[in-house]
């Protein structure tokens, strides 16, 4: 049993500096959990508390059925992979992978077996005689993973392991780490600031901000059912658009009004807004770039959610095009349309918002008004 | 060192002596041998001297006499000070030395300065290429193999015989400032925390006289605003880099800085105001951590 329970954990540096606040989560055995958030959000500190590299100021940490708050790192059955590879420059790949076991006085035959098995899993058998300086960044990171694998640990902790790699290699390595997780069948806790990495790798993602967990859920739930504006804006690239405006009732319909636009809210959602008392109040509307449409059929079918905008910049990526639009609210809005749409910069165009995909946030608390606690991930 | 029996030594020396030793000479030789055998090792002598020099302000003790030339003293070196919160979680000095020798594969000296503090002296050329990368790698190695949370401060190159005690003090101050101002960073390079050290040396009264709004910042600015300002200053006042680090839209950053300007009167997009706010943020942090605010030794 190698699940973890973080029971109301705090990390405090001094009286007023709280790096991690009330972190409470159960991590399933064999789960791939990603901690994500901007600089200073407490994700690495949480990982280091799990590793035993930082004391826990308050709360309990359970690994399996053991309370490990006071257990030294070496006895926690964990292996850690760092951003900086952590390789001995003067040893070859074999020696690098074997050294930790040698220090722990493992029999030579067992060391040999474990190193060769890890090398086979990572497909680096042909590199065993090479020294780190003769390896590429991706190969070095594989060796670093190998150093963790040979320990046969139940839990792998990875702290931004791909940050030193270039973009192309990062994409390749994240797929390899996911495959590795499936092969090894271990629990992985992975820290990153990159939401794309989080979305593509995690079974579950914990979004953190200023030391607090904002939401812990599947990638699908975070994307489609964010709990607040921070999560909505953090997850997704390009980020969700936010438009500030007010809600009113006109001719029996609930209308969202902002600069140069009026949008009719679909009946089901309008009912939620009414029942929660938001009519007459200021709110923020959120809409993802792919939910803004330029297709004539969609525009024709959506007469109550049309907006007229000026295309400031049009970035054509081939299969799709990002439009940076002026004319809605006071912020630039991004729309993702087909690369074949033929839209040009400085053009004034009409677009339609998919009102069934909108999000609505409380202006004061920034929490999602449509948040569904019973959301079922697809 | 093995104790040599007096008689055995005399026997070994005899062929080289012109005549038999007199009784007085024998006594003198005996006394010298006793002193020699009771004398601590060279490393131990250096450690004791270093501790005396760094613990007592303005100490000016002569270097001990060593039995043999001691590695770092005649050379340009880089010093690394390691500190752990709880030494019972680590694997001890002997294993630390094994790891360091395996990592650097060169002559080096490790001194256990106290239960939670070690000093590593390395020949300067070891660090010429990708010094910061090597140190980051070392930190990861120690945390994964030595198995404890480690903080490290790293010196620039210096001539060991002349500046060792000064450098140890400086590394201690840097480590203290680093742990206080950047607790989520674990490797601190000497010279990167000079401004913080300067503010730390001011008295509470002097700090309060820093013109501005420490009180206001403490009372009014929320954690998000303080983090925004810290990141903005840490990223060289670059709007795009700061927005990226905070994962916010550039317009959101502009809005926050405008709000800060409106509330405080400080426009951190100008150098003068940015420096002012940097000092005030340091002073604010010291106030929040009063119990940690005094570095161990500010004598230079």
């Amino acid at each position: 049993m190698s699940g973890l329970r973080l029971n109301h954990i705090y990390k405090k540096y001094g009286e007023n500096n709280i790096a991690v606040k009330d972190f409470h989560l159960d991590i399933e055995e064999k789960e791939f959990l990603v901690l994500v958030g901007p600089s200073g959000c407490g994700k690495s500190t949480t990982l280091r508390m799990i590793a035993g590299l930082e004391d826990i100021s308050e709360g309990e940490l359970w690994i399996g059925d053991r309370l490990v708050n006071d257990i030294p790192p070496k006895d926690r059955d964990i292996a850690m992979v760092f951003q900086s590879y952590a390789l001995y420059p003067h040893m070859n790949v074999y020696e690098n992978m074997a050294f930790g076991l040698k220090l722990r006085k493992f029999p030579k035959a067992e060391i040999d077996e474990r190193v060769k098995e890890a090398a086979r899993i990572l497909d680096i058998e042909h590199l065993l005689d090479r020294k780190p300086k003769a390896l590429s960044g991706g190969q070095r990171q594989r060796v670093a993973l190998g150093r963790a694998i040979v320990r046969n640990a139940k839990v792998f902790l990875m702290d931004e392991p791909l940050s030193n790699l270039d973009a192309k290699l990062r994409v390749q390595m994240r797929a390899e780490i996911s495959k590795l997780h499936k092969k090894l069948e271990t629990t992985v806790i992975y820290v990153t600031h990159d939401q794309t990495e989080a979305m593509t790798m995690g079974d579950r993602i914990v979004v953190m901000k200023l030391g607090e967990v904002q939401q812990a859920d599947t990638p699908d739930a975070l994307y489609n059912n964010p709990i607040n504006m921070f999560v909505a804006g953090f997850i997704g690239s390009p980020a969700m658009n936010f438009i500030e405006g007010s809600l009113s009732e006109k001719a029996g319909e609930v209308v969202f009004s902002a600069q140069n636009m009026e949008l009719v809210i679909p009946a089901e959602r309008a009912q939620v807004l009414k029942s929660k008392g938001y009519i007459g109040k200021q709110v923020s509307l959120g809409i993802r770039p792919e939910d803004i449409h330029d297709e004539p059929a969609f525009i024709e079918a959506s007469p109550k959610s049309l907006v007229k905008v000026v295309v400031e910049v049009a970035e054509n990526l081939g299969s799709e095009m990002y439009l940076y639009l002026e004319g809605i609210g006071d912020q630039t809005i991004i729309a993702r349309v087909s690369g074949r749409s033929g839209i040009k910069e400085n053009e004034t165009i009409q677009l339609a918002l998919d009102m069934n995909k909108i999000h609505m946030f409380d202006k004061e608390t920034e929490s999602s008004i449509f948040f569904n606690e019973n959301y079922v991930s697809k | 060192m093995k104790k040599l029996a007096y008689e055995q030594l005399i026997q070994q020396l005899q062929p080289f002596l012109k005549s038999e030793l007199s009784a007085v000479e024998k006594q003198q030789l005996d006394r010298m041998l006793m002193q020699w055998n009771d004398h601590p090792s060279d490393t131990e002598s250096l450690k004791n001297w270093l501790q005396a020099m760094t613990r007592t302000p303005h100490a000016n003790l002569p270097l001990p006499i060593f039995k043999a030339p001691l590695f770092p003293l005649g050379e340009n070196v880089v010093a690394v000070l390691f500190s752990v919160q709880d030494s019972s979680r680590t694997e001890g000095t002997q294993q630390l030395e094994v790891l360091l020798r395996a990592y650097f594969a060169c002559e080096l000296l490790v001194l256990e300065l106290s239960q939670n503090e070690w000093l590593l002296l390395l020949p300067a050329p070891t660090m010429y290429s990708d010094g910061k990368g090597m140190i980051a790698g070392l930190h990861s190695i120690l945390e994964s193999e030595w198995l404890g949370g480690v903080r490290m401060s790293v010196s620039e190159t210096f001539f060991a015989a002349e500046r060792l005690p000064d450098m140890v003090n400086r590394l201690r101050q840097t480590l203290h400032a680093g742990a206080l101002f950047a607790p989520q960073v674990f490797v601190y390079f000497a010279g990167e925390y000079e401004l913080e050290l300067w503010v730390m040396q001011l008295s509470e009264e002097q700090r309060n006289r820093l013109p501005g709004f420490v009180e206001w910042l403490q009372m009014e600015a929320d954690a998000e605003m303080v983090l925004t300002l810290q990141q903005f200053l840490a990223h060289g006042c670059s709007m795009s880099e700061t927005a990226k680090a905070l994962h916010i839209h550039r317009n959101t950053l502009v809005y926050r800085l405008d709000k800060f300007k409106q509330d405080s009167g400080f426009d951190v997009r100008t150098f003068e105001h940015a420096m002012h706010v940097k000092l005030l943020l340091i002073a604010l942090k010291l106030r929040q951590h009063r119990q940690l605010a005094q570095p161990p030794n500010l004598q230079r």
Side-chain angles (χ1 to χ4, degrees):
Chain A
M1 167 63 190
S2 54
L4 287 89
R5 165 165 277 204
L6 290 91
N7 194 11
H8 299 289
I9 280 178
Y10 286 77
K11 178 66 192 178
K12 296 176 181 173
Y13 296 105
E15 259 174 55
N16 300 315
N17 189 357
I18 303 177
V20 176
K21 214 180 284 177
D22 198 18
F23 195 113
H24 186 70
L25 190 74
D26 285 335
I27 303 168
E28 300 286 320
E29 189 176 7
K30 299 179 190 173
E31 184 173 3
F32 197 121
L33 185 90
V34 181
L35 304 179
V36 70
S39 300
C41 73
K43 54 190 186 295
S44 287
T45 307
T46 304
L47 194 79
R48 291 173 62 81
M49 284 193 284
I50 296 171
L53 300 174
E54 293 277 346
D55 289 338
I56 294 168
S57 309
E58 268 177 51
E60 291 175 340
L61 172 64
W62 294 79
I63 298 180
D65 51 8
R66 275 201 312 166
L67 178 65
V68 298
N69 285 45
D70 298 319
I71 304 282
K74 63 178 176 181
D75 299 327
R76 292 190 180 194
D77 207 3
I78 49 162
M80 197 150 172
V81 181
F82 297 89
Q83 181 181 338
S84 60
Y85 309 135
L87 301 180
Y88 294 91
H90 306 282
M91 293 182 188
N92 66 26
V93 169
Y94 183 98
E95 290 162 341
N96 258 290
M97 287 161 70
F99 192 64
L101 300 178
K102 262 190 206 169
L103 286 177
R104 287 172 188 78
K105 312 249 186 306
F106 275 71
K108 213 173 166 185
E110 189 176 346
I111 294 175
D112 190 60
E113 193 183 316
R114 286 197 191 190
V115 170
K116 286 183 176 157
E117 174 62 8
R120 191 189 57 73
I121 292 169
L122 293 161
D123 198 18
I124 52 170
E125 288 156 297
H126 60 296
L127 302 175
L128 287 173
D129 292 331
R130 290 204 201 159
K131 291 202 172 161
K133 68 179 174 196
L135 303 175
S136 68
Q139 288 169 335
R140 282 181 208 187
Q141 194 50 274
R142 271 197 210 113
V143 180
L145 286 167
R147 277 168 47 84
I149 290 171
V150 294
R151 290 191 179 183
N152 282 353
K154 293 281 188 310
V155 182
F156 279 70
L157 306 178
M158 302 192 186
D159 193 359
E160 307 243 12
L162 307 184
S163 295
N164 281 349
L165 305 180
D166 63 48
K168 198 175 164 188
L169 208 50
R170 231 169 22 226
V171 173
Q172 194 186 326
M173 278 303 289
R174 74 183 186 218
E176 290 197 21
I177 290 177
S178 293
K179 273 195 261 173
L180 190 64
H181 168 242
K182 286 188 182 90
K183 264 190 217 171
L184 296 174
E185 297 194 325
T186 51
T187 309
V188 176
I189 305 173
Y190 186 103
V191 161
T192 179
H193 64 274
D194 181 341
Q195 63 87 30
T196 312
E197 238 169 75
M199 290 290 279
T200 51
M201 297 172 86
D203 296 326
R204 217 156 40 120
I205 300 170
V206 180
V207 183
M208 297 182 72
K209 180 194 173 190
L210 293 170
E212 283 184 89
V213 172
Q214 302 292 303
Q215 191 172 359
D217 218 324
T218 62
D220 170 64
L222 291 180
Y223 194 79
N224 294 306
N225 187 37
I227 196 166
N228 58 28
M229 269 177 91
F230 178 78
V231 176
F234 192 85
I235 298 292
S237 179
M240 182 184 282
N241 298 295
F242 297 110
I243 306 163
E244 288 185 12
S246 61
L247 293 168
S248 58
E249 209 166 356
K250 288 180 186 170
E253 291 182 315
V254 174
V255 176
F256 173 83
S257 309
Q259 187 192 333
N260 304 331
M261 66 187 266
E262 278 202 345
L263 305 168
V264 175
I265 310 289
E268 198 183 328
R269 292 179 174 233
Q271 194 51 46
V272 176
L273 295 169
K274 274 194 214 170
S275 67
K276 291 189 175 177
Y278 279 97
I279 307 303
K281 290 197 176 161
Q282 291 283 315
V283 290
S284 293
L285 181 145
I287 182 122
R288 296 221 177 262
E290 65 271 25
D291 297 326
I292 303 175
H293 295 265
D294 69 328
E295 305 94 308
F298 196 96
I299 289 174
E300 204 175 316
S302 316
K304 293 177 178 177
S305 64
L306 298 177
V307 289
K308 197 173 256 186
V309 288
V310 179
V311 181
E312 200 185 25
V313 177
E315 285 178 351
N316 196 343
L317 307 180
S319 64
E320 58 193 15
M321 184 185 271
Y322 294 154
L323 304 177
Y324 294 77
L325 309 164
E326 293 285 325
I328 306 176
D330 55 2
Q331 288 201 359
T332 302
I333 298 295
I334 302 175
R336 181 155 68 196
V337 298
S338 163
R340 294 188 180 125
S341 66
I343 294 170
K344 300 274 184 307
E345 286 175 8
N346 300 321
E347 237 181 290
T348 300
I349 57 171
Q350 196 170 46
L351 298 171
L353 274 59
D354 185 345
M355 297 304 284
N356 290 312
K357 301 277 175 64
I358 60 162
H359 301 260
M360 203 67 84
F361 302 95
D362 186 293
K363 187 83 171 48
E364 296 300 315
T365 63
E366 298 194 346
S367 58
S368 169
I369 300 166
F370 298 147
F371 179 70
N372 177 4
E373 280 185 16
N374 303 314
Y375 181 87
V376 180
S377 297
K378 288 158 198 142
Chain B
M1 183 180 169
K2 279 184 187 172
K3 278 201 171 193
L4 287 174
Y6 170 73
E7 289 303 330
Q8 274 180 333
L9 181 69
I10 294 297
Q11 252 181 0
Q12 286 172 21
L13 287 174
Q14 204 61 61
F16 306 101
L17 298 173
K18 286 177 185 166
S19 59
E20 284 286 317
L21 292 173
S22 68
V24 177
E25 284 170 334
K26 280 180 182 175
Q27 268 181 3
Q28 277 180 341
L29 187 57
D30 196 19
R31 206 164 35 239
M32 277 172 64
L33 276 170
M34 290 303 288
Q35 279 178 355
W36 185 262
N37 284 332
D38 291 342
H39 202 271
S41 70
D42 283 350
T43 309
E44 200 65 21
S45 303
L46 180 66
K47 177 182 138 180
N48 294 339
W49 174 76
L50 206 47
Q51 280 170 333
M53 286 289 283
T54 54
R55 277 183 191 154
T56 319
H58 313 298
N60 192 14
L61 304 168
L63 261 172
I65 296 163
F66 300 111
K67 294 170 192 168
L70 194 57
F71 144 68
L73 292 175
E75 294 188 34
N76 283 324
V77 294
V78 169
V80 184
L81 191 73
F82 303 99
S83 168
V84 297
Q85 244 183 8
D86 180 1
S87 59
S88 68
R89 290 191 170 196
T90 67
E91 299 275 307
T93 306
Q94 210 178 350
Q95 178 135 333
L96 174 64
E97 206 165 330
V98 169
L99 290 171
L100 293 171
R101 289 191 189 284
Y103 189 73
F104 289 107
C106 68
E107 187 176 27
L108 51 80
L109 186 69
V110 183
L111 299 175
E112 185 181 348
L113 296 181
S114 72
Q115 205 186 352
N116 298 326
E117 189 185 56
W118 291 262
L119 181 72
L120 163 69
L121 295 166
L122 287 165
T126 318
M127 304 295 286
Y128 280 170
S129 65
D130 188 25
K132 285 198 170 183
M134 272 200 94
I135 290 294
L138 173 64
H139 182 258
S140 303
I141 288 270
L142 292 182
E143 292 212 320
S144 60
E145 301 288 7
W146 199 41
L147 304 169
V150 184
R151 291 186 190 274
M152 294 161 47
S153 57
V154 186
S155 78
E156 59 264 38
T157 300
F158 66 101
F159 188 61
E162 287 172 2
R163 295 186 51 213
L164 195 51
D166 276 355
M167 195 51 83
V168 170
N169 271 336
R170 186 147 181 256
L171 290 178
R172 280 185 180 145
Q173 292 162 22
T174 303
L175 200 69
H176 185 79
L180 184 61
F181 289 98
Q184 280 109 321
V185 176
F186 304 94
V187 180
Y188 314 107
F189 291 88
E192 288 183 357
Y193 292 89
E194 293 298 302
L195 200 55
E196 283 81 356
L197 285 168
W198 178 75
V199 178
M200 285 168 86
Q201 288 186 71
L202 300 176
S203 66
E204 183 70 18
E205 193 196 343
Q206 285 171 316
R207 270 183 227 147
N208 287 338
R209 270 191 271 136
L210 282 173
F213 63 118
V214 181
E215 295 293 344
W216 176 85
L217 206 55
Q218 195 167 10
M219 299 297 291
E220 301 292 331
D222 59 19
E224 190 162 66
M225 181 63 86
V226 170
L227 181 70
T228 303
L229 294 170
Q230 282 168 341
Q231 290 291 324
F232 184 67
L233 296 168
H235 288 91
C237 301
S238 158
M239 298 292 283
S240 54
E241 290 297 312
T242 309
K244 209 167 133 187
L246 291 168
H247 285 267
I248 55 175
H249 194 276
R250 193 188 159 92
N251 289 350
T252 309
L253 179 62
V254 171
Y255 168 79
R256 283 190 198 165
L257 296 184
D258 282 347
K259 186 170 185 309
F260 182 69
K261 184 183 169 188
Q262 194 186 333
D263 292 349
S264 70
F266 284 96
D267 184 356
V268 284
R269 284 161 286 200
T270 66
F271 179 76
E272 193 187 335
H273 285 192
M275 286 307 291
H276 204 127
V277 170
K278 168 113 183 153
L279 286 173
L280 292 166
L281 285 171
I282 293 170
L284 171 69
K285 192 128 192 178
L286 282 176
R287 182 172 292 186
Q288 287 173 338
H289 294 271
R290 244 174 228 163
Q291 75 279 22
L292 301 170
Q294 286 306 313
N297 183 357
L298 284 173
Q299 300 298 324
R300 289 268 175 128

